[in-house]
Structure formats: structure tokens, C-alpha cells
Amino acid sequence: MTYAADSFDTLPPMPSWVTSARAETPEDVAFLSGAALSHLHLVLNRNDVPQTLLRQRLALRAAEACMILVGRIERAGDLRDAVGFLQPGDHPGPAGVVYQSWQRVIERPVSVHVLHRALPDLEPEQIATWLDGCDPRGAGQGAPIPRAAAMLQVVFAERPRDPAAALILADATLAQALGWTHVLPLLALGLKRGDLRKSGEELWLTCHRAIVAAVSEAIRQAADLSRRAARLRDVAPKLRAKGADAAVELFLSCDAVAPMDLTSLGSKRAARRFCDRLVELGAVRELTGRDTFRLYGI
């Protein structure tokens, strides 16, 4: 497959003047974060970027960041394990719950219903009230990052032991303000524990700086995933197994895939052989380092 002008090799990096500039005034800080988001918007509109997979990967990073914020030890591998082998009725544990919340909020276009599904202990009416209250200029007129910072402040003040809820709602507010259909986890990637206790203009400036750092990571992830997705598409014609096309599409939309998820291949044995073949071809990686209960991803 040829990607022409949208080739992953041409995925533009963040301009160095955005990441290296020293912002001395609030206006400078706001300008740089706006430039970063504008660049990200261009990247997200490229055909070669696997959008669903990018959101999945950033959701994992956001959940990992939330673990750090609350002082827990779980990292990416633990989070993948917490949800990767769940059976009906299983509980994923506290870390898995946070990861599932991020997964659910990115799966579908952002709405109060989707946010309630991600944060079921919050009433839809409360979520809607917060969304409206954090837009002081009314119905989508407030600047995106100040609106997101206001959401972060009000939710964290009410739920100081639940930074994930505050960050999820802040990123949802940001997505709505930017006109994005889906939440893209960003603020969790750039904020530190002490940042959540800030308020007013101090928090507003901190969120602007966090966005620049988070967008830089998001673009690096987009470039990496674009290359890996292109490799998988290149080897796909060599895969003769019945149901291979559906299996490939699953890898292009999920951060981690267990062989048992590849139901289109007909059997667990066939799925394991398929995964091993993809590893041999350099199209996917085994993510756990284990001999059993393996997970794979591009």
C-alpha cells in the first residue's frame, strides 16, 4: 500500500520553537499551547494516523499517570493485565477501574452519556451541570484551556481523592471546546500531583504548559503508531489464515490484544499461531514477556 503525501515518513514533528521557547508572560504561554494544539489538530486529520489506536495508547498513559498521582505502583503492564483477561463478573481492581474509565471515555463521541458510562458513580445531571458551569461565556464560547482548567479545579475540589475523574472531565471539556468528536487524553500526561492543588490563573497557566508537553508526547506516539500500523498493513497480504483481515483490524484499533480476542480465526490455537506469525514478521510485539497469558500489540 502506498501512502503518498500522507506517508508516515512525513508526519511533521512539533516545531522546536514551540517546545523550546521560554514563555515569560501569560500571553506567551497561551500562544504556545494554542500553537501546539493547532499542530496536533493537523496530525489528527491525517489518514495515516490510526486514530482509535492513538486514543487507546494515550488512555493507557493517562491511567498510568493517574496511578502516579495517587501513589500507586501499577504501571502500563499491570494495567493491561488488569483488564486484558477479564471474564464476565470479574472485578479489575482499583487500578483496572481507572484504566477502564479512560478506555470508556475515548471509545465513543463525547457526551454526558459517555462520561457517565466512564464515571458511573457520578450522576449525569451533575456531569452536565459541571460542563455548563465551566463555560462562563456560555455554550461553547469560552477558551478551551481555561474551560478545561475550570473543570479540573471544580471537580478536584469536590473529589480530591479521585484525580482520574477530574482529569477525564477536564479532557472532555477540552475536546468539546476544540470541536473534537472524541476525548483525547492530554492533561493527565502533562500535570504533576502538586498541579492539581493550584487554582485560578496559576492553574490556568499550568494547564497551558501541560498541554505543550502532552501534545509533544501525543505526536511522538502518533508517528510511532503510524509507522507500526503501516508495517502491519504491509504484511497483511502474506497472512493466509481465514479471518485474518478482521484480526488485523483488531490490532489496528486496540492497544493490547489477547489471542482469545481473535475470534475470527476460529480457535485459540489458530489465534496463538497467528500472533506468533505476526511477531516473526515484525508486525506486532509481545507485550508481557511471559510464556503464557500473553498480550500483543503493534
Side-chain angles (χ1 to χ4, degrees), residues 3-4 11 20-21 39 43-44 46 81 92 100 103-104 138 193 208 237 252 260 269 272 279 281 290:
Y3 291 91
L11 194 66
S20 63
H39 188 74
V43 169
L44 294 178
R46 293 173 61 94
D81 282 349
Q100 283 184 324
Q103 287 181 317
R104 288 169 179 164
R193 186 180 304 183
H208 276 293
L252 291 171
M260 65 181 182
R269 181 184 179 190
R272 288 193 294 268
V279 172
L281 292 170
R290 297 189 295 251

mmCIF file of all heavy atoms in Angstrom, residues 3-4 11 20-21 39 43-44 46 81 92 100 103-104 138 193 208 237 252 260 269 272 279 281 290:
data_model
loop_
_atom_site.group_PDB
_atom_site.id
_atom_site.type_symbol
_atom_site.label_atom_id
_atom_site.label_comp_id
_atom_site.label_asym_id
_atom_site.label_seq_id
_atom_site.Cartn_x
_atom_site.Cartn_y
_atom_site.Cartn_z
ATOM 1 N N TYR A 3 1.315 5.377 0.576
ATOM 2 C CA TYR A 3 0.663 6.430 1.342
ATOM 3 C C TYR A 3 0.876 7.817 0.761
ATOM 4 O O TYR A 3 0.294 8.780 1.211
ATOM 5 C CB TYR A 3 1.161 6.411 2.804
ATOM 6 C CG TYR A 3 0.673 5.193 3.524
ATOM 7 C CD1 TYR A 3 1.424 4.036 3.548
ATOM 8 C CD2 TYR A 3 -0.566 5.194 4.136
ATOM 9 C CE1 TYR A 3 0.962 2.902 4.186
ATOM 10 C CE2 TYR A 3 -1.037 4.064 4.780
ATOM 11 C CZ TYR A 3 -0.268 2.926 4.803
ATOM 12 O OH TYR A 3 -0.725 1.805 5.438
ATOM 13 N N ALA A 4 1.724 7.936 -0.249
ATOM 14 C CA ALA A 4 1.944 9.197 -0.961
ATOM 15 C C ALA A 4 2.166 10.343 0.017
ATOM 16 O O ALA A 4 2.996 10.265 0.895
ATOM 17 C CB ALA A 4 0.756 9.472 -1.882
ATOM 18 N N LEU A 11 5.209 12.583 8.679
ATOM 19 C CA LEU A 11 4.439 13.066 9.817
ATOM 20 C C LEU A 11 5.242 14.159 10.508
ATOM 21 O O LEU A 11 6.330 13.898 11.020
ATOM 22 C CB LEU A 11 4.159 11.916 10.788
ATOM 23 C CG LEU A 11 3.094 12.188 11.850
ATOM 24 C CD1 LEU A 11 1.732 12.370 11.197
ATOM 25 C CD2 LEU A 11 3.028 11.037 12.845
ATOM 26 N N SER A 20 10.786 24.559 22.855
ATOM 27 C CA SER A 20 11.987 25.104 23.490
ATOM 28 C C SER A 20 11.844 26.548 23.946
ATOM 29 O O SER A 20 12.683 27.044 24.701
ATOM 30 C CB SER A 20 13.181 25.000 22.531
ATOM 31 O OG SER A 20 12.954 25.777 21.362
ATOM 32 N N ALA A 21 10.788 27.227 23.509
ATOM 33 C CA ALA A 21 10.626 28.637 23.869
ATOM 34 C C ALA A 21 10.368 28.796 25.366
ATOM 35 O O ALA A 21 9.704 27.969 25.991
ATOM 36 C CB ALA A 21 9.479 29.249 23.063
ATOM 37 N N HIS A 39 -1.095 22.337 15.811
ATOM 38 C CA HIS A 39 -0.267 21.340 15.140
ATOM 39 C C HIS A 39 -0.849 19.941 15.348
ATOM 40 O O HIS A 39 -0.895 19.134 14.413
ATOM 41 C CB HIS A 39 1.154 21.409 15.693
ATOM 42 C CG HIS A 39 2.127 20.555 14.947
ATOM 43 N ND1 HIS A 39 2.603 20.885 13.697
ATOM 44 C CD2 HIS A 39 2.706 19.370 15.263
ATOM 45 C CE1 HIS A 39 3.436 19.952 13.279
ATOM 46 N NE2 HIS A 39 3.514 19.020 14.199
ATOM 47 N N VAL A 43 -2.175 16.897 12.673
ATOM 48 C CA VAL A 43 -1.747 15.498 12.738
ATOM 49 C C VAL A 43 -2.956 14.573 12.835
ATOM 50 O O VAL A 43 -3.017 13.522 12.174
ATOM 51 C CB VAL A 43 -0.791 15.286 13.930
ATOM 52 C CG1 VAL A 43 -0.541 13.805 14.179
ATOM 53 C CG2 VAL A 43 0.534 16.000 13.679
ATOM 54 N N LEU A 44 -3.932 14.945 13.640
ATOM 55 C CA LEU A 44 -5.099 14.085 13.845
ATOM 56 C C LEU A 44 -5.961 13.959 12.593
ATOM 57 O O LEU A 44 -6.762 13.030 12.493
ATOM 58 C CB LEU A 44 -5.953 14.628 14.997
ATOM 59 C CG LEU A 44 -5.311 14.589 16.381
ATOM 60 C CD1 LEU A 44 -6.246 15.200 17.423
ATOM 61 C CD2 LEU A 44 -4.946 13.167 16.780
ATOM 62 N N ARG A 46 -4.778 13.443 9.600
ATOM 63 C CA ARG A 46 -4.062 12.685 8.579
ATOM 64 C C ARG A 46 -4.612 11.266 8.480
ATOM 65 O O ARG A 46 -4.942 10.639 9.479
ATOM 66 C CB ARG A 46 -2.569 12.656 8.906
ATOM 67 C CG ARG A 46 -1.896 14.018 8.815
ATOM 68 C CD ARG A 46 -0.479 13.928 9.324
ATOM 69 N NE ARG A 46 0.304 13.000 8.544
ATOM 70 C CZ ARG A 46 1.064 13.337 7.498
ATOM 71 N NH1 ARG A 46 1.140 14.597 7.119
ATOM 72 N NH2 ARG A 46 1.754 12.433 6.839
ATOM 73 N N ASP A 81 -2.729 -5.983 32.155
ATOM 74 C CA ASP A 81 -3.107 -7.256 32.759
ATOM 75 C C ASP A 81 -4.434 -7.152 33.500
ATOM 76 O O ASP A 81 -5.231 -8.101 33.515
ATOM 77 C CB ASP A 81 -2.027 -7.732 33.729
ATOM 78 C CG ASP A 81 -0.825 -8.338 33.024
ATOM 79 O OD1 ASP A 81 -0.905 -8.584 31.808
ATOM 80 O OD2 ASP A 81 0.202 -8.557 33.702
ATOM 81 N N PRO A 92 -11.842 -5.627 38.049
ATOM 82 C CA PRO A 92 -10.466 -5.370 37.633
ATOM 83 C C PRO A 92 -9.569 -4.787 38.719
ATOM 84 O O PRO A 92 -8.374 -4.581 38.466
ATOM 85 C CB PRO A 92 -10.647 -4.368 36.494
ATOM 86 C CG PRO A 92 -11.874 -3.607 36.874
ATOM 87 C CD PRO A 92 -12.788 -4.626 37.514
ATOM 88 N N GLN A 100 -10.180 1.344 32.888
ATOM 89 C CA GLN A 100 -11.434 1.163 32.166
ATOM 90 C C GLN A 100 -12.165 2.490 31.963
ATOM 91 O O GLN A 100 -12.780 2.707 30.917
ATOM 92 C CB GLN A 100 -12.337 0.192 32.921
ATOM 93 C CG GLN A 100 -11.946 -1.266 32.767
ATOM 94 C CD GLN A 100 -12.942 -2.187 33.450
ATOM 95 O OE1 GLN A 100 -13.490 -1.873 34.495
ATOM 96 N NE2 GLN A 100 -13.167 -3.345 32.847
ATOM 97 N N GLN A 103 -10.572 4.095 29.078
ATOM 98 C CA GLN A 103 -10.931 3.375 27.860
ATOM 99 C C GLN A 103 -12.347 3.716 27.410
ATOM 100 O O GLN A 103 -12.608 3.910 26.216
ATOM 101 C CB GLN A 103 -10.810 1.870 28.081
ATOM 102 C CG GLN A 103 -9.388 1.342 28.161
ATOM 103 C CD GLN A 103 -9.353 -0.157 28.356
ATOM 104 O OE1 GLN A 103 -10.107 -0.716 29.137
ATOM 105 N NE2 GLN A 103 -8.469 -0.827 27.625
ATOM 106 N N ARG A 104 -13.263 3.780 28.355
ATOM 107 C CA ARG A 104 -14.664 4.029 28.001
ATOM 108 C C ARG A 104 -14.890 5.448 27.504
ATOM 109 O O ARG A 104 -15.719 5.677 26.628
ATOM 110 C CB ARG A 104 -15.552 3.739 29.212
ATOM 111 C CG ARG A 104 -15.667 2.245 29.510
ATOM 112 C CD ARG A 104 -16.315 1.980 30.851
ATOM 113 N NE ARG A 104 -16.426 0.536 31.103
ATOM 114 C CZ ARG A 104 -16.668 0.008 32.290
ATOM 115 N NH1 ARG A 104 -16.826 0.798 33.361
ATOM 116 N NH2 ARG A 104 -16.753 -1.311 32.422
ATOM 117 N N GLY A 138 -20.728 30.905 28.089
ATOM 118 C CA GLY A 138 -21.922 30.292 27.545
ATOM 119 C C GLY A 138 -21.705 29.486 26.297
ATOM 120 O O GLY A 138 -20.945 29.853 25.421
ATOM 121 N N ARG A 193 1.393 15.969 40.517
ATOM 122 C CA ARG A 193 0.495 15.884 41.664
ATOM 123 C C ARG A 193 0.206 17.262 42.261
ATOM 124 O O ARG A 193 -0.942 17.605 42.551
ATOM 125 C CB ARG A 193 1.111 14.969 42.723
ATOM 126 C CG ARG A 193 0.182 14.705 43.911
ATOM 127 C CD ARG A 193 0.839 13.802 44.935
ATOM 128 N NE ARG A 193 1.270 12.548 44.357
ATOM 129 C CZ ARG A 193 1.821 11.552 45.056
ATOM 130 N NH1 ARG A 193 2.022 11.694 46.358
ATOM 131 N NH2 ARG A 193 2.176 10.441 44.457
ATOM 132 N N HIS A 208 -1.851 25.284 30.456
ATOM 133 C CA HIS A 208 -1.286 25.654 29.161
ATOM 134 C C HIS A 208 0.061 24.976 28.956
ATOM 135 O O HIS A 208 0.330 24.418 27.879
ATOM 136 C CB HIS A 208 -1.110 27.171 29.079
ATOM 137 C CG HIS A 208 -2.351 27.917 28.671
ATOM 138 N ND1 HIS A 208 -2.901 27.812 27.416
ATOM 139 C CD2 HIS A 208 -3.143 28.783 29.354
ATOM 140 C CE1 HIS A 208 -3.989 28.580 27.335
ATOM 141 N NE2 HIS A 208 -4.143 29.190 28.502
ATOM 142 N N PRO A 237 -1.120 -8.867 3.439
ATOM 143 C CA PRO A 237 -1.381 -9.770 2.299
ATOM 144 C C PRO A 237 -0.688 -11.126 2.426
ATOM 145 O O PRO A 237 -1.079 -12.077 1.733
ATOM 146 C CB PRO A 237 -0.825 -8.982 1.101
ATOM 147 C CG PRO A 237 -0.884 -7.554 1.518
ATOM 148 C CD PRO A 237 -0.569 -7.574 2.981
ATOM 149 N N LEU A 252 -5.249 -2.934 14.828
ATOM 150 C CA LEU A 252 -5.167 -1.524 14.449
ATOM 151 C C LEU A 252 -6.071 -0.634 15.285
ATOM 152 O O LEU A 252 -6.047 0.596 15.126
ATOM 153 C CB LEU A 252 -5.508 -1.361 12.967
ATOM 154 C CG LEU A 252 -4.481 -1.926 11.987
ATOM 155 C CD1 LEU A 252 -5.026 -1.899 10.572
ATOM 156 C CD2 LEU A 252 -3.164 -1.156 12.074
ATOM 157 N N MET A 260 -7.226 -14.894 22.693
ATOM 158 C CA MET A 260 -8.628 -15.291 22.818
ATOM 159 C C MET A 260 -9.579 -14.237 22.236
ATOM 160 O O MET A 260 -10.744 -14.517 21.965
ATOM 161 C CB MET A 260 -8.988 -15.563 24.276
ATOM 162 C CG MET A 260 -8.928 -14.348 25.171
ATOM 163 S SD MET A 260 -9.337 -14.771 26.888
ATOM 164 C CE MET A 260 -9.246 -13.162 27.668
ATOM 165 N N ARG A 269 -5.896 -22.017 19.341
ATOM 166 C CA ARG A 269 -4.615 -22.451 18.783
ATOM 167 C C ARG A 269 -4.272 -21.660 17.527
ATOM 168 O O ARG A 269 -3.134 -21.204 17.342
ATOM 169 C CB ARG A 269 -4.658 -23.941 18.471
ATOM 170 C CG ARG A 269 -3.343 -24.484 17.913
ATOM 171 C CD ARG A 269 -3.460 -25.946 17.531
ATOM 172 N NE ARG A 269 -2.212 -26.452 16.972
ATOM 173 C CZ ARG A 269 -2.075 -27.625 16.387
ATOM 174 N NH1 ARG A 269 -3.140 -28.428 16.270
ATOM 175 N NH2 ARG A 269 -0.906 -28.007 15.907
ATOM 176 N N ARG A 272 -3.159 -18.161 18.518
ATOM 177 C CA ARG A 272 -1.789 -18.096 19.035
ATOM 178 C C ARG A 272 -0.773 -18.193 17.899
ATOM 179 O O ARG A 272 0.221 -17.459 17.870
ATOM 180 C CB ARG A 272 -1.561 -19.206 20.062
ATOM 181 C CG ARG A 272 -2.266 -18.978 21.390
ATOM 182 C CD ARG A 272 -1.757 -19.933 22.456
ATOM 183 N NE ARG A 272 -2.106 -21.319 22.148
ATOM 184 C CZ ARG A 272 -3.196 -21.927 22.569
ATOM 185 N NH1 ARG A 272 -4.085 -21.263 23.312
ATOM 186 N NH2 ARG A 272 -3.439 -23.205 22.262
ATOM 187 N N VAL A 279 4.556 -11.669 15.013
ATOM 188 C CA VAL A 279 5.797 -11.310 15.702
ATOM 189 C C VAL A 279 7.000 -11.631 14.817
ATOM 190 O O VAL A 279 7.943 -10.834 14.692
ATOM 191 C CB VAL A 279 5.898 -12.037 17.051
ATOM 192 C CG1 VAL A 279 7.277 -11.828 17.682
ATOM 193 C CG2 VAL A 279 4.817 -11.541 18.014
ATOM 194 N N LEU A 281 7.127 -11.674 11.657
ATOM 195 C CA LEU A 281 7.158 -10.730 10.537
ATOM 196 C C LEU A 281 7.487 -9.312 10.983
ATOM 197 O O LEU A 281 7.593 -8.402 10.154
ATOM 198 C CB LEU A 281 5.809 -10.740 9.815
ATOM 199 C CG LEU A 281 5.463 -12.024 9.054
ATOM 200 C CD1 LEU A 281 4.006 -12.004 8.604
ATOM 201 C CD2 LEU A 281 6.393 -12.202 7.852
ATOM 202 N N ARG A 290 5.948 -12.914 28.945
ATOM 203 C CA ARG A 290 5.600 -14.191 29.562
ATOM 204 C C ARG A 290 5.466 -15.281 28.504
ATOM 205 O O ARG A 290 5.299 -14.995 27.316
ATOM 206 C CB ARG A 290 4.274 -14.059 30.328
ATOM 207 C CG ARG A 290 4.298 -13.082 31.481
ATOM 208 C CD ARG A 290 3.005 -13.189 32.293
ATOM 209 N NE ARG A 290 1.845 -12.784 31.516
ATOM 210 C CZ ARG A 290 1.161 -11.663 31.720
ATOM 211 N NH1 ARG A 290 1.526 -10.828 32.670
ATOM 212 N NH2 ARG A 290 0.108 -11.361 30.979
#
